[in-house]
Amino acid sequence: MTNRLKLRLIAAIVTAVVPIVAAAPALAAQELNGVFHIGPGSYIRMGTPGGGFFDNPYSKAANKSYTTILSGVGGGIRSGVAQNAPSPAFDKHGNSRANSIITPTDFTGILFGVITTEAPSFSLSGDTITGHLRHLEAQWNKQTFVQGNTVYGTYNARTHHYTLAWHTEVHGGPFDGYTGYWKLTGTFTPY
Amino acid sequence: MTRVAAPRRKRWPLAVLAVIGIGMILAPVAFGMFSKAPDGASMMTSFTPFMTSHRLDGFQADMRDVGNAVTQGQEAIRETDRTSAGARTLARVAPQFHTFAREWVAVNSDMGGMLVKIQANLPDYQAMAALPSFRLFPWFFVIPGVILLILAAVGLARAAAWRSLRWVAVVLGVALVVAPVAIQLFSRAPKGAQMMSTFKTIETHHHLRRIQSYFSEMAVGQGLVQLQLLPALRHADVSAAEIHGRYPALNTLDANWVHILNDMTPMIAAMSNNIGNYQAISSLPSFRLFPWFFLLPGLIVIVLALVGGTRRRRGAADPGRPNVLNPVNQGVT
């Protein structure tokens, strides 16, 4: 290999590596601290064990298997904050009083709410969000259903628009074997 | 001089007592009672709020509320459908309601049948619930077993001690015989077996899935009544007063729906949460056998304690002492 060829090879490697090194900080995961507002298009669907979905007659969506949800008084899901159930968690009819994350929403005639019993955290890598939302629970009819999981989605840093989706099977209780399919979409407001 | 041997004590009864003791200690381990009995206790506790006449009557009333609404809803559709305005207004809801009415026949038959079965078994459940906690049952075997084993071991090692210890064994045997009578195990255990038999088809994942789907169908049906049928009837100029007078069950279902949900979902939850517990306890030997698990060892212990041990023949040396030459025969041979 001639010296000229060696120099060309080194130049090529430098040309290829330098931009990657320069972009590395941007590619590394960064924490997303703020509020995920839950906007129109957000929903939960209950998948039945035998396939198909549970129809909620009280859903405002045309397709009753989608129960649409919107932010509650806390603005949505807050990273780094456990949005626990109030005390008491239910009224005498079994309606959830948890109104921080979502506005309590009618499910078959009784309002359900959503809580987080431990602070969730979210990180952003590129435009991909990974959220540790394992301690999210749905409360309905004086019962609590663990519905958290590791969640994934996308985030547009320019518009602050995000989308998160996950699904979690219910273990035990009246909906044992059902799977909650969640989609949250809206804007993210950093703290 | 002839050395007269002491009469041999009957040692085998003590050995058998020891074996029975070991058997009683090992039986709960062999049957997995230490893990299964607490599961059974949990199941009984979970069912307690639902297994009352009041609550079971309430479930039947819930079913009647839905059934009456189905019947009167069909009547309302039939009667309102006669006018062209009514037919137009009900065009969307009527087919959906008829579908629900057809589904309700199966729901009512299966779920209603289940409730009837459970209600019929209420005395069986109550008999079971009146027994000591299932958690204690393994110890009802282990504790007498340990005592018996200790008594037999001491008796085998020290014959003199056995003469008094045997009466402890007799008392233990009597206790084993009396215990199942005292806690009415002979009458309650077969009822428990009957209850377990009834729940065999209820406490399964397959049946749970059916009940869950019925619940879903009922929710859809109630939504149809509340959100579509009643508004459609009003739109077809059937006044609220007429609905109240001619089809009161529609309003009753609406008024009672939250109560029905409050009632039924915890019951479905209890069914769901106890499938594993039921399966654990149903893998134990039949409850019908349980009184005999106490009575038979008890009787055997009594007999063996009385037979075994220290019976002496006339002129025999004290088996508790070292052998001695019989002075009567000394020097004869």
Side-chain angles (χ1 to χ4, degrees), chain A residues 64-84:
Chain A
K64 299 297 178 190
S65 72
Y66 291 83
T67 299
T68 53
I69 50 180
L70 290 170
S71 287
V73 296
I77 293 180
R78 305 180 83 89
S79 69
V81 178
Q83 291 161 281
N84 282 298

Side-chain angles (χ1 to χ4, degrees), chain A residues 27-119:
Chain A
L27 292 174
Q30 64 181 82
E31 269 195 45
L32 272 181
N33 285 315
V35 184
F36 291 86
H37 302 286
I38 298 168
S42 303
Y43 63 80
I44 177 185
R45 297 179 89 186
M46 290 290 280
T48 63
F53 291 92
F54 187 105
D55 281 340
N56 172 20
Y58 291 81
S59 166
K60 292 190 170 77
N63 181 339
K64 299 297 178 190
S65 72
Y66 291 83
T67 299
T68 53
I69 50 180
L70 290 170
S71 287
V73 296
I77 293 180
R78 305 180 83 89
S79 69
V81 178
Q83 291 161 281
N84 282 298
S87 181
F90 300 95
D91 69 12
K92 66 177 180 178
H93 300 297
N95 295 307
S96 169
R97 294 178 63 246
N99 63 354
S100 179
I101 295 176
I102 67 165
T103 303
T105 304
D106 203 330
F107 187 79
T108 71
I110 291 179
L111 302 179
F112 82 96
V114 173
I115 60 168
T116 49
T117 55
E118 284 187 23

Side-chain angles (χ1 to χ4, degrees), chain B residues 77 81 84-98 228 232:
Chain B
I77 289 171
D81 234 4
S84 59
R88 256 195 325 275
T89 312
L90 295 175
R92 187 156 170 262
V93 67
Q96 292 180 60
F97 197 86
H98 290 319
Q228 294 191 49

Side-chain angles (χ1 to χ4, degrees), chain B residues 127-189:
Chain B
M128 285 280 279
L131 286 171
S133 169
F134 281 16
R135 289 176 210 279
L136 299 175
F137 268 72
W139 300 104
F140 290 164
F141 292 95
V142 169
I143 292 171
V146 168
I147 296 172
L148 203 55
L149 185 60
I150 291 170
L151 291 175
V154 173
L156 284 167
R158 297 191 58 203
W162 177 245
R163 257 183 266 152
S164 49
L165 286 180
R166 64 197 296 208
W167 296 111
V168 179
V170 170
V171 169
L172 184 66
V174 170
L176 284 170
V177 170
V178 168
V181 179
I183 61 173
Q184 300 175 43
L185 205 52
F186 280 98
S187 58
R188 289 169 176 168

Side-chain angles (χ1 to χ4, degrees), chain A residues 48-50 53-59 64 92-94 107-110 140-143 169 171-178, chain B residues 205 208-209 212-213 215-217 219-224 226-227 254 257-258 261-266 268-270 272-273 275:
Chain A
T48 63
F53 291 92
F54 187 105
D55 281 340
N56 172 20
Y58 291 81
S59 166
K64 299 297 178 190
K92 66 177 180 178
H93 300 297
F107 187 79
T108 71
I110 291 179
W140 175 82
N141 200 7
K142 299 180 185 171
Q143 296 177 57
E169 187 177 334
H171 295 289
F175 294 109
D176 177 69
Y178 281 61
Chain B
H205 283 290
L208 172 69
R209 298 292 174 245
Q212 286 174 325
S213 72
F215 171 70
S216 162
E217 284 164 10
V220 167
Q222 189 277 336
L224 269 176
Q226 162 70 6
L227 301 171
D254 184 31
W257 177 242
V258 168
L261 285 178
N262 291 166
D263 233 16
M264 287 209 167
T265 45
I268 299 171
S272 160
N273 296 341
I275 290 173

Side-chain angles (χ1 to χ4, degrees), chain B residues 44-233:
Chain B
M44 296 300 286
T45 306
S46 299
F47 286 172
T48 301
F50 308 103
M51 295 303 276
T52 65
S53 292
H54 174 72
R55 199 73 194 270
L56 291 170
D57 288 345
F59 291 132
Q60 301 278 14
D62 295 341
M63 296 294 285
R64 270 196 304 278
D65 282 347
V66 181
N68 291 340
V70 169
T71 306
Q72 293 187 10
Q74 287 179 301
E75 281 172 23
I77 289 171
R78 201 165 41 244
E79 288 167 10
T80 312
D81 234 4
R82 287 177 189 148
T83 66
S84 59
R88 256 195 325 275
T89 312
L90 295 175
R92 187 156 170 262
V93 67
Q96 292 180 60
F97 197 86
H98 290 319
T99 302
F100 168 56
R102 275 197 303 277
E103 288 169 349
W104 173 251
V105 175
V107 173
N108 191 35
S109 163
D110 195 1
M111 198 159 164
M114 177 193 81
L115 290 170
V116 167
K117 256 198 229 178
I118 293 174
Q119 196 143 23
N121 268 269
L122 183 58
D124 297 334
Y125 170 84
Q126 287 167 336
M128 285 280 279
L131 286 171
S133 169
F134 281 16
R135 289 176 210 279
L136 299 175
F137 268 72
W139 300 104
F140 290 164
F141 292 95
V142 169
I143 292 171
V146 168
I147 296 172
L148 203 55
L149 185 60
I150 291 170
L151 291 175
V154 173
L156 284 167
R158 297 191 58 203
W162 177 245
R163 257 183 266 152
S164 49
L165 286 180
R166 64 197 296 208
W167 296 111
V168 179
V170 170
V171 169
L172 184 66
V174 170
L176 284 170
V177 170
V178 168
V181 179
I183 61 173
Q184 300 175 43
L185 205 52
F186 280 98
S187 58
R188 289 169 176 168
K191 288 181 176 175
Q194 180 59 44
M195 187 195 89
M196 292 300 289
S197 169
T198 301
F199 277 79
K200 190 175 181 179
T201 52
I202 295 173
E203 279 294 332
T204 67
H205 283 290
H206 177 69
H207 189 250
L208 172 69
R209 298 292 174 245
R210 285 218 310 272
I211 296 294
Q212 286 174 325
S213 72
Y214 297 157
F215 171 70
S216 162
E217 284 164 10
M218 286 163 69
V220 167
Q222 189 277 336
L224 269 176
V225 171
Q226 162 70 6
L227 301 171
Q228 294 191 49
L229 181 57
L230 286 171
L233 289 173

Side-chain angles (χ1 to χ4, degrees), chain B residues 291-311:
Chain B
W292 302 99
F293 288 161
F294 296 100
L295 185 81
L296 290 178
L299 289 174
I300 295 169
V301 167
I302 293 168
V303 171
L304 291 177
L306 292 174
V307 168
T310 60
R311 198 175 67 170

